[in-house]
Structures are given as structure tokens and as C-alpha cells.
Amino acid sequence: MTALVAVSVCCASGEDIKLLGDWRGNIHGFGLINYSARPDGTASPERDGLGEHGFLLGDQRVQLKLEARSPKGAVNLLAKPEFFYDAVDGEFGADLREGYLDFASGKWGVRLGRQIVTWGVGDLAFINDVFPKDYAAFFSGRPLEYLKLGVDAAAVNFQSETLSAELVVMPAGLLTPDHLPQRSRFFQFDPFPTLPRETDEPSAQLRNTETALRLYRTLAETELSVYAYHGFWRSYALQPESLVAPTRAIETFPELAVFGASARRSGLGGVWGAEIGYYDSLDDRPGTNPAIENSQFRFLVTYQRQLAQDFTGSLEYYGEWMQDYAAYRRNVPAGFPARPELRDLIGLRLTKLLRYQTLKLSLFTFYSPIAGDFFFNPEVSYQFTDRLWAALGGNIFGGPVETFFGQLDRNDNVYLAVRCSF
């Protein structure tokens, strides 16, 4: 039924309309049908519904984009509610993907509400982009835009030729964690497979307010940024209630501070970028608690250029250098795989446009020379009309079983997405 709604809304109109007083606005949106499954039909861990036939995703949704603006444009409203049917679990639901008010006055701007914030220069490699990601969506074949999650925040922007700034304040008690692959749908390593889980998120105390700051300007044709963040690790730390006879595993979010910088400019026939960041693991600075991420130094170098007509390529090298590695190795529990001191990734993206740029062939890959694991994401998409496109692709994981992508090896999937805008 939801699929029929998703198709029928494509006949709707998004014309500009008059609202209260002299305010004007419009309604746009899209319908999306999105399925993915393991090619061999291997049942998901919990084996319910479509999961019994190997489906990781069965998504039918409608997103509305509601916009309104004041007569002089000083105040703007945007809301993106979504209504969906999850065919794998057989459940209907609704969500607000974004919803905020914008206020502008001269060089200043303020945004209040749920918003998606993107910082840094990486392509699916994140350092100073400390905002939440939906890796479950990405690894199961949803469109790339769904990798980013919104945060409930107040953002203040200041623009000038000398120095511009963006401050994002996320109130205590509203932490938005990363959405990791679900244990019910993805095969993956679980250190405590028999223990029930509880989540312990930071309390709504003033000291748990998250703050992120970016200062930026263009100097000598180079985009320069410096960053600072104080808050929490977005991916949980899983700790047993007791080391002797645990009865439950607790998902906690340790305190974190991040400091970094990035640069991007044209050169060498393309566009290159560099980014660095230091992750200060405030709840485990000695590095003796193996459940909490050690402090890390992260670095990234990127390069993108046009290789031929309608054919572009980009290459990046990303690394995480764990601090206090000797303390980490001394405290890894027996039987648990130990991580390497340096985790690295080589990322490659190739994109070719054909048939008057309506047909797109793309390939994105990650490969770790140190760990030996890899991820491949080939995709072909076709733009039937200005409003209708479809994409067919796959997610392929591999490597040693103790590595990040290697543990997901049994979750290779093929996905199909059809989207109609209005």
C-alpha cells in the first residue's frame, strides 16, 4: 500500500503558494522504494519476515519537504517529515529528518532545530565531522544522503572576509548516536552474544552539552578550517556489568574532545585536500580500558580530478594512529582480537556519465593495506525523467574475520532503489 502512495504522490505539484499574511511557501518531496538482500538468500540472524529470505532492507517511504519564508526573507522554515513502511519488520513509522527555523541578519545567521551538519574534506572518511552517521542505512543500500543523521541543535553562523565561524550547540540529554548495523539483520562480531543489553546515555545535565566550533576562511586560494568539539563518542562502548559474572552488557558513550584542521585547494590538474584531527578520549586517557576507544591521531589526504569527458576519479588515504598502544595491548582480554596500532584505508571513487548524463556508472572502494579488509560499492543509476530515477548496486565486504569489513563478510547484498520526486 505504501508503495502505491509513493508512486501516486509523484503527480502532486510543488508550486509556490501564499500562506498566512505575506508569508509564502511550497511543498515538495519524493516517494522512495528501496530493497536489498543477500544474493544467496542467507537468512538474517533473527530470521523473521523478509529477514528469513535474506533481506536486509525493505523500505517504502514518502518524504515531504515543507518550506516557508517571511516577506523579506529574514526568517525561513524547513521541515522534512517522512512516513515509511519497513517491510522486513512489517512496521509503519514516521520520522522528522530535518526541521528548523532560520534567522538571518547581516553577517549573522541562527538555525534552531533538527539539522544535518557536514564538515571536513573526506569522501566517507570522517575526522572533524563529529556528527552522527547511519552506517546501517549505508551498508544496506539506502541512498547516500541517508548516511548523515540530523542533530537537535542551535547553530550560529558568522560570515566575514577576514574570518567566518560556525558554532553548533547540542543540548544535554539529546545525544544522537551513530546508527550501527543491527544485530538482528547483520552478521557481525559480538563480544557478549548471550548477554542482554542496556543503553546508558549521558544525562540531561548542563555539563553534558555538546559544542562544536569551526573557524574558516579562504587564503591564497586555499580553503582553510580549524575545528574543536567537546561531547561524546558517537559509537557506543560496550562494557559488561561485571568482569567476574556479568549478567548484562551496557552501551555507554564516553566523553570525547576533538581538535583538528583541514585545507582544500585546486592544483595538479584537480582538487586536493588534507585533514588532521586529535581525538582526546577523556574517560580513558591512560588507555587501560579496552572497552573505550583510546585517544587517536587521525589524518587524511584526498585528490580528485576529471580523467576524461564525463569521467571523474578521486583517491584518498586515511589513517587512525592509536595512542597508548602498549597499555591497550596489556589490557585486551584473552580471546579478544587485538586491533593494530595504525588502521588505514585507501579510498577510490570512479564516476562515469553516459547517454547525455542520464546514465551513471560508479564505483566506491575502501581497502586497508595493513588490515587486509575491503569494501566495494558498485552502482548503476538511470535518470528516466527530471523526477524519476532508479539505482541498482551492491555492497561487498571482505577480509580477515577480526577486521572491520571482514566481520561483515556474510552481509554482501544487492540493492534496488526507485525514487520519484514531486
Side-chain angles (χ1 to χ4, degrees), residues 258-331:
V258 180
F259 307 93
S262 68
R264 178 163 46 195
R265 67 165 297 155
S266 59
L268 303 176
V271 178
W272 63 265
E275 188 171 353
I276 57 173
Y278 182 73
Y279 277 51
D280 189 355
S281 190
L282 299 176
D283 280 346
D284 186 34
R285 278 181 164 166
T288 56
N289 186 343
I292 299 177
E293 291 276 4
N294 277 31
S295 297
Q296 303 172 356
F297 177 74
R298 298 187 179 188
F299 58 90
L300 172 71
V301 179
T302 72
Y303 179 69
Q304 178 182 357
R305 69 171 297 171
Q306 182 170 319
L307 303 175
Q309 184 176 0
D310 293 330
F311 183 33
T312 59
S314 66
L315 187 67
E316 63 184 0
Y317 181 71
Y318 166 82
E320 297 176 1
W321 178 25
M322 184 188 298
Q323 307 298 289
D324 302 303
Y325 187 68
Y328 164 77
R329 287 300 301 263
R330 287 195 302 268
N331 290 277

Side-chain angles (χ1 to χ4, degrees), residues 113-406:
R114 183 165 299 177
Q115 50 197 282
I116 292 176
V117 185
T118 299
W119 289 354
V121 302
D123 184 1
L124 303 185
F126 306 104
I127 298 180
N128 295 293
D129 189 327
V130 293
F131 305 101
K133 318 295 187 303
D134 190 340
Y135 293 105
F138 179 65
F139 288 152
S140 58
R142 296 187 68 185
L144 183 58
E145 66 187 86
Y146 283 96
L147 174 60
K148 296 303 297 288
L149 292 171
V151 290
D152 298 317
V156 180
N157 289 272
F158 173 75
Q159 300 279 341
S160 77
E161 295 182 0
T162 304
L163 185 67
S164 298
E166 182 177 5
L167 174 66
V168 182
V169 179
M170 293 152 277
L174 297 179
L175 176 70
T176 303
D178 288 338
H179 187 196
L180 303 177
Q182 306 100 308
R183 293 183 298 156
S184 61
R185 300 192 189 185
F186 285 80
F187 294 100
Q188 57 191 303
F189 174 70
D190 188 341
F192 308 106
T194 62
L195 295 183
R197 291 194 181 187
E198 294 182 7
T199 300
D200 182 15
E201 294 189 359
S203 61
Q205 300 180 38
L206 184 61
R207 63 183 179 86
N208 290 333
T209 299
E210 299 175 80
T211 55
L213 175 67
R214 177 172 74 110
L215 304 176
Y216 59 100
R217 68 163 296 175
T218 299
L219 183 65
E221 300 182 349
T222 304
E223 300 174 13
L224 301 172
S225 297
V226 294
Y227 311 86
Y229 168 75
H230 182 270
F232 304 90
W233 291 93
R234 296 285 173 186
S235 296
Y236 59 76
L238 187 62
Q239 306 184 66
E241 176 193 24
S242 166
L243 294 177
V244 180
T247 59
R248 57 190 174 126
I250 304 174
E251 299 173 355
T252 64
F253 297 87
E255 194 173 356
L256 173 69
V258 180
F259 307 93
S262 68
R264 178 163 46 195
R265 67 165 297 155
S266 59
L268 303 176
V271 178
W272 63 265
E275 188 171 353
I276 57 173
Y278 182 73
Y279 277 51
D280 189 355
S281 190
L282 299 176
D283 280 346
D284 186 34
R285 278 181 164 166
T288 56
N289 186 343
I292 299 177
E293 291 276 4
N294 277 31
S295 297
Q296 303 172 356
F297 177 74
R298 298 187 179 188
F299 58 90
L300 172 71
V301 179
T302 72
Y303 179 69
Q304 178 182 357
R305 69 171 297 171
Q306 182 170 319
L307 303 175
Q309 184 176 0
D310 293 330
F311 183 33
T312 59
S314 66
L315 187 67
E316 63 184 0
Y317 181 71
Y318 166 82
E320 297 176 1
W321 178 25
M322 184 188 298
Q323 307 298 289
D324 302 303
Y325 187 68
Y328 164 77
R329 287 300 301 263
R330 287 195 302 268
N331 290 277
V332 174
F336 279 59
R339 293 170 49 184
E341 184 175 6
L342 176 65
R343 175 177 179 255
D344 66 346
L345 290 171
I346 296 175
L348 172 68
R349 184 181 293 277
L350 299 173
T351 304
K352 175 64 175 177
L353 301 176
L354 300 166
R355 296 181 63 86
Y356 304 102
Q357 299 186 343
T358 59
L359 176 63
K360 182 171 75 172
L361 308 178
S362 67
L363 172 67
F364 180 83
T365 70
F366 268 141
Y367 171 70
S368 172
I370 292 177
D373 59 336
F374 60 85
F375 166 69
F376 288 93
N377 173 217
E379 182 181 279
V380 54
S381 63
Y382 187 73
Q383 190 86 31
F384 295 95
T385 70
D386 291 340
R387 296 185 176 186
L388 178 64
W389 62 258
L392 177 66
N395 293 304
I396 304 168
F397 311 89
V401 68
E402 70 274 8
T403 59
F404 179 77
F405 293 122

